Amino acid sequence: METATFTTEWDKVFSRSNKVNHSKVTFKNRYGITLVADLYIPQNASGKLPAIAVSGPFGAVKEQSSGLYAQTMAERGFLTIAFDPSYTGESGGTPRYVASPDINTEDFCAAIDFLSIRNDVDPERIGIIGICGWGGFALNAAAIDTRIKATVTATMYDMSRVNANGYFDAMTPDQRYELRKQLNAQRTLDAQNGSYALAGGVVDPLPEDAPQFVKDYYTYYKTSRGYHPRSLNSNNGWNKTSSLSFINMPILTYSDEIRSAVLMIHGENAHSRYFSEDAFKKLKGDNKELLIIPGANHTDLYDQMEIIPFDKLESFFKEYLK
């Protein structure tokens, strides 16, 4: 039986709030993996509360952006959890640092399982927030889990699309074939070595001619602003072969069937803005909204409190989790 180990110390990249109570909790997904989460409850709360589960960005841990979102929304009256995905951070699963569009979507659904049976949560008032790559998984979860009444995506990435087609869908069929050859050759090496190679993550040292979005990632993950020792983006990166499942397992196939409310926010200057815009075009219903933040880049929506529209998030969840 898998057991989880986690620190009880406050080791977040953001300051602890005196307006909420914090503790660690665990729950299992349907693959038997134990997920570890930070639970934030408004002080002096009573009765059954509306609840929100938060995760992301891809490769990050709950001590970073997702925890900041969760704590801030708890200050505004919601019971929240920020969880580490399977194979990541303090959550279980082996081998470490791999990813799956199926398992990561299930992680959100397992978070809904956990929240739905708590005595202090109203199971009819549960929402989710997905940040960056987890914005795509959040939409994917909302398409299958009718218990999710409201979904927010922040600076969303479609991980399947970018792995399969490259940025701005620029990858040719020949390039896609060569990528598959490289990833499968790495699998052979891993099998021979009895280990799993780590690659990807944020480039370090930063090249002088790096694109602006790479500089943005570096500033967040490689400096005191967002560095955390358990984050793979802060350290080694993701397993080379972990992207294989994303290449031919698209997410968002049924996002047009989402009936619950959706709010998508993205920075005006973010290189990834087209992911949110294209995903939004597929959504149906008058309870869907796309909010573009003027002047904001991709990582501004990770942690810049003066830029993240928390007032809008609060009003959105209060409207659709009432």
Side-chain angles (χ1 to χ4, degrees), residues 2 26 60-61 81 83 88 141 203 213 283 287 291 295 299 306 322:
E2 181 184 62
T26 64
V61 290
I81 57 170
F83 64 88
T88 305
V203 61
F213 73 88
L283 300 178
N287 57 352
L291 177 62
T299 57
E306 73 279 8
K322 60 187 177 182

Side-chain angles (χ1 to χ4, degrees), residues 80-134:
T80 66
I81 57 170
F83 64 88
D84 283 330
S86 295
Y87 310 108
T88 305
E90 294 182 313
S91 288
T94 55
R96 302 302 293 166
Y97 313 127
V98 295
S100 159
D102 183 23
I103 295 175
N104 292 146
T105 299
E106 159 62 20
D107 287 342
F108 258 129
C109 296
I112 305 304
D113 294 341
F114 169 77
L115 293 171
S116 294
I117 61 175
R118 288 184 61 90
N119 291 332
D120 51 2
V121 169
D122 182 344
E124 298 300 320
R125 295 192 292 162
I126 298 177
I128 59 175
I129 299 175
I131 306 165
C132 195
W134 275 78

Side-chain angles (χ1 to χ4, degrees), residues 20-236:
V20 304
N21 296 320
H22 164 265
S23 61
K24 287 286 183 71
V25 295
T26 64
F27 53 94
K28 288 186 181 293
N29 68 17
R30 291 206 167 189
Y31 292 93
I33 299 170
T34 300
L35 303 184
V36 178
D38 285 297
L39 170 68
Y40 299 92
I41 303 178
Q43 286 194 1
N44 302 317
S46 61
K48 291 183 175 292
L49 301 176
I52 304 170
V54 192
S55 198
F58 189 82
V61 290
K62 64 189 179 304
E63 288 74 21
Q64 297 168 299
S65 181
S66 61
L68 176 64
Y69 272 71
Q71 179 176 261
T72 304
M73 296 309 294
E75 289 178 330
R76 293 165 179 255
F78 302 88
L79 182 149
T80 66
I81 57 170
F83 64 88
D84 283 330
S86 295
Y87 310 108
T88 305
E90 294 182 313
S91 288
T94 55
R96 302 302 293 166
Y97 313 127
V98 295
S100 159
D102 183 23
I103 295 175
N104 292 146
T105 299
E106 159 62 20
D107 287 342
F108 258 129
C109 296
I112 305 304
D113 294 341
F114 169 77
L115 293 171
S116 294
I117 61 175
R118 288 184 61 90
N119 291 332
D120 51 2
V121 169
D122 182 344
E124 298 300 320
R125 295 192 292 162
I126 298 177
I128 59 175
I129 299 175
I131 306 165
C132 195
W134 275 78
F137 299 138
L139 281 184
N140 212 42
I144 194 171
D145 197 327
T146 57
R147 299 171 301 173
I148 298 171
K149 298 302 190 289
T151 300
V152 167
T153 69
T155 198
M156 191 204 86
Y157 252 70
D158 182 336
M159 296 303 300
S160 290
R161 180 176 174 182
V162 74
N163 277 286
N165 303 322
Y167 286 111
F168 307 108
D169 303 319
M171 189 182 298
T172 67
D174 286 343
Q175 290 171 328
R176 179 178 158 91
Y177 178 75
E178 290 302 318
L179 175 62
R180 296 202 310 272
K181 282 182 61 177
Q182 175 189 352
L183 295 176
N184 284 295
Q186 184 63 48
R187 285 194 65 136
T188 301
L189 290 175
D190 289 346
Q192 291 172 341
N193 296 332
S195 62
Y196 297 87
L198 295 175
V202 178
V203 61
D204 191 13
L206 183 69
E208 291 185 5
D209 61 348
Q212 183 58 47
F213 73 88
V214 175
K215 295 178 181 178
D216 293 339
Y217 284 134
Y218 187 93
T219 300
Y220 180 74
Y221 285 110
K222 294 296 186 177
T223 68
S224 59
R225 175 180 161 197
Y227 175 83
H228 195 278
R230 287 194 293 274
S231 168
L232 270 295
N233 284 328
S234 295
N235 294 288
N236 295 320

